[in-house]
Amino acid sequence: MHDATPLIATIVGGLVLAFIFGALAHRVRLPVIAGYLVAGVVAGPFTPGYVADAHIAQELADLGVILLMFGVGLHFSLKDLLAVKNISIPGAAVQMGVATGLGMLLGWMLGWPMAQGFVFGLALSVASTVVLLRAMEERRLLDSDRGRIAVGWLIVEDLAMVLALVLLPALAGFLGGNAGGAATPTTGELVQTVAITIGKVVLFVAVMLVIGKRAIPWMLQAVSGTGSRELFRLAVLAIALGVAFGAAHLFDVSFELGAFFAGMMMGESKLSQQAAEETLPLRDAFAVLFFVSIGMLFNPHILVQQPWLVLAACFIIIVGKSVAAFAIVRLFGRPTKTALTIATSLAQIGEFSFILAGLGVSLGLLSEEARDILLAAAIVSILVNPLLFVALDRWVAKHDADAPDEHPDMRGHTVLVGFGRVGRRVFAELQATGAPVLVIETDEDAVRDLREHGGADIVIGNAAAAPVLAEANLGSARALIVTVPDPFEGGQVVRAARAARPDLPIVARAHSPDCVSHLAGLGASEVVYGEQELARSMFEAAQPRPAHGGH
């Protein structure tokens, strides 16, 4: 029997441990992310037993971030990005400045060199792409105004980090670190470095807009013409990873930014939805490995050695950044709900912080103790962030500024969960009968469309949450129709509704026989299997029709 290679051992060990501890976390009602992080600690070098290859784990995690940003780009357009530039650019700049300043203040109080305080504060200022986007995807907020602002904010932070990672080695000697033996650059050389970096980013964006916008959709369409799903899937992955790799090595742009633009250009194709579905399983798997890799970096001893410094860093991340982001969004006249969502999204740090910290240590600008404090604070902030989102969900359910405070005491109404492609058709059929309808939806654009249609009461929030179901007056409803496509998300709604009212007729949708069994087991009265209904309709359409007037 061959010994497992480090790559295979890392993938298998990471996924198995993540599953075990993720399931345990879910069992005790903790975020599954907590389980993934614990799995990383168990597989890391600071605990006894199995030790995974940290370098390989980090590279696998980078793949996850690339695929995640590619998926976000698929749902984003240049118009969406430009629509939020007026708030995302100044907002991200000010928020990063506040967090960096607070980090420098903490460093000054501890007697750190100013350069160390600056690098430490800068690392605290940038949020984790994976954590933010997973939270947004779970709540279906990526296509909402709040989601677009958050993604735009991320892009600005990404660009700022690209610039920082290029400039730090050039500035290391000037800041008191080591520049690998290189001489400290003159002001002219420094200006030239900044200009070249910005020029490369501009050139990359121009190439993507001029060439990529035409070439990528054309390539996807050509591959789809072969009729091979395998080739189509391979083409999607090749474009996502190829553009990300090329962006990093040809233009010195980050992998994440390259993948985002690749996705955004592919979004111009009519096949973008299928491309998103094909990459989803890989995105989820590698996102799990991302959290495992973070756990592997964590040294638990720092919590005993420097507990107050870890708490101070956590305060800057969770409170300082959040307050700054909330104030900025409110100053731009956005609703409180939007400001709270952005503030909660940014109350954590992740991958760019680790890259910056590692570079700071190698350049002599950051001590190893400061790096360990940073990593510990990152772990804590990632663990706390899902809990903050739960609190936000409850606040939104009770105080949504856009929804009416009270809904009429409806009776005999149908509760419709989801206003997507299927939900819109079901809504139209229900409206045609004149029956009262109440729609539960989280997407702000869908809610706006609903209000334009009229004829329906609306509850904004997660339909699996008890306060949302209570606001929908489920006890007096005639039926519940769950149109969300994801079987796990739909299953949560079915289970919560069945627990709230055991006799309620519940209709859900499924895409496979296994999903049918899953939803039925959770309490759905009837599950509509899409392919089965399609086959029945096609069969009926193919039957010979009786001749007219032949008797």
Side-chain angles (χ1 to χ4, degrees):
M1 183 177 182
H2 298 287
D3 292 333
T5 65
L7 174 61
I8 295 175
T10 301
I11 294 175
V12 174
L15 291 178
V16 170
L17 288 171
F19 168 71
I20 293 171
F21 287 101
L24 288 173
H26 181 73
R27 180 80 174 178
V28 298
R29 298 183 181 277
L30 287 174
V32 290
I33 290 175
Y36 303 156
L37 292 170
V38 172
V41 175
V42 171
F46 304 105
T47 54
Y50 168 71
V51 177
D53 189 307
H55 179 71
I56 291 177
Q58 184 57 55
E59 291 191 345
L60 293 172
D62 290 341
L63 276 175
V65 179
I66 290 171
L67 292 172
L68 191 68
M69 286 301 290
F70 172 73
V72 173
L74 281 171
H75 298 288
F76 228 73
S77 68
L78 185 63
K79 181 181 178 182
D80 293 332
L81 201 58
L82 295 176
V84 297
K85 69 180 188 301
N86 291 335
I87 183 173
S88 294
I89 294 176
V94 173
Q95 175 256 302
M96 291 182 71
V98 170
T100 303
L102 290 173
M104 294 180 69
L105 178 62
L106 177 62
W108 174 77
M109 294 171 63
L110 296 172
W112 288 354
M114 182 176 292
Q116 176 162 309
F118 172 74
V119 175
F120 185 80
L122 189 61
L124 295 177
S125 71
V126 56
S128 165
T129 298
V130 178
V131 176
L132 189 155
L133 294 181
R134 278 179 72 94
M136 289 288 175
E137 283 183 335
E138 286 175 2
R139 290 157 181 82
R140 293 190 293 161
L141 292 176
L142 281 178
D143 293 327
S144 68
D145 184 58
R146 290 180 282 170
R148 284 189 282 269
I149 293 174
V151 172
W153 206 294
L154 270 179
I155 297 303
V156 176
E157 289 189 349
D158 197 347
L159 289 170
M161 284 299 105
V162 169
L163 192 61
L165 293 173
V166 170
L167 291 180
L168 267 185
L171 290 170
F174 175 76
L175 294 173
N178 61 75
T184 302
T186 64
T187 302
E189 291 172 335
L190 189 60
V191 171
Q192 183 180 12
T193 300
V194 174
I196 291 174
T197 302
I198 295 175
K200 287 181 177 179
V201 173
V202 172
L203 180 60
F204 166 72
V205 174
V207 168
M208 293 304 295
L209 293 179
V210 175
I211 300 176
K213 190 173 183 178
R214 295 170 175 81
I216 292 177
W218 174 84
M219 190 183 308
L220 207 62
Q221 192 70 38
V223 173
S224 70
T226 65
S228 171
R229 185 173 181 180
E230 181 180 347
L231 276 178
F232 181 83
R233 185 184 297 119
L234 186 60
V236 172
L237 292 174
I239 291 170
L241 299 177
V243 172
F245 186 83
H249 286 269
L250 297 178
F251 300 95
D252 288 330
V253 175
S254 69
F255 288 121
E256 293 84 355
L257 196 65
F260 174 80
F261 271 91
M264 197 162 65
M265 297 304 101
M266 192 177 289
E268 300 292 324
S269 168
K270 296 179 181 179
L271 299 168
S272 60
Q273 182 64 34
Q274 185 179 349
E277 292 174 357
E278 293 294 343
T279 58
L280 185 60
L282 275 177
R283 282 160 47 197
D284 287 344
F286 281 108
V288 169
L289 291 175
F290 165 80
F291 291 107
V292 173
S293 72
I294 291 179
M296 290 175 61
L297 298 171
F298 178 53
N299 183 359
H301 296 107
I302 196 68
L303 295 176
V304 178
Q305 296 168 356
Q306 298 289 358
W308 296 112
L309 289 185
V310 173
L311 282 176
C314 289
F315 181 85
I316 294 174
I317 297 168
I318 298 172
V319 179
K321 285 173 61 179
S322 297
V323 171
F326 178 86
I328 293 164
V329 177
R330 289 293 289 145
L331 283 174
F332 276 86
R334 302 293 176 130
T336 301
K337 180 177 65 175
T338 300
L340 285 173
T341 302
I342 302 302
T344 303
S345 301
L346 300 172
Q348 39 76 22
I349 61 172
E351 55 276 9
F352 262 123
S353 304
F354 307 145
I355 296 171
L356 187 64
L359 180 63
V361 171
S362 67
L363 294 174
L365 297 173
L366 194 69
S367 67
E368 293 188 0
E369 182 186 56
R371 179 196 59 193
D372 290 341
I373 292 169
L374 188 72
L375 293 175
I379 297 289
V380 174
S381 70
I382 291 173
L383 285 172
V384 170
N385 197 248
L387 303 178
L388 295 178
F389 264 104
V390 170
L392 174 64
D393 291 341
R394 291 176 178 172
W395 186 93
V396 169
K398 294 180 179 179
H399 304 91
D400 195 293
D402 298 323
D405 294 333
E406 294 181 1
H407 292 279
D409 187 15
M410 301 176 70
R411 293 190 177 276
H413 61 292
T414 298
V415 178
L416 176 64
V417 178
F419 196 66
R421 290 179 296 176
V422 174
R424 290 170 189 265
R425 288 172 170 79
V426 175
F427 176 75
E429 294 290 338
L430 289 169
Q431 267 202 324
T433 67
V437 186
L438 186 145
V439 180
I440 301 178
E441 180 55 82
T442 58
D443 183 75
E444 293 172 355
D445 292 335
V447 170
R448 194 176 300 115
D449 291 343
L450 263 171
R451 293 208 168 110
E452 291 175 359
H453 277 86
D457 280 70
I458 306 166
V459 174
I460 303 175
N462 184 352
V468 174
L469 289 178
E471 190 176 353
N473 196 14
L474 205 63
S476 300
R478 181 180 66 85
L480 172 71
I481 302 177
V482 182
T483 67
V484 293
D486 185 273
F488 295 101
E489 183 182 352
Q492 290 178 336
V493 177
V494 170
R495 179 168 51 190
R498 181 57 68 212
R501 187 178 158 191
D503 65 330
L504 180 69
I506 301 176
V507 182
R509 63 182 286 199
H511 293 292
S512 71
D514 289 338
C515 291
V516 173
S517 301
H518 171 70
L519 293 168
L522 292 174
S525 310
E526 184 174 348
V527 182
V528 179
Y529 177 18
E531 284 78 1
Q532 187 177 47
E533 295 302 316
L534 178 61
R536 182 183 295 122
S537 297
M538 293 176 73
F539 171 77
E540 292 175 354
Q543 296 309 301
R545 301 182 184 276
H548 295 284
H551 299 290

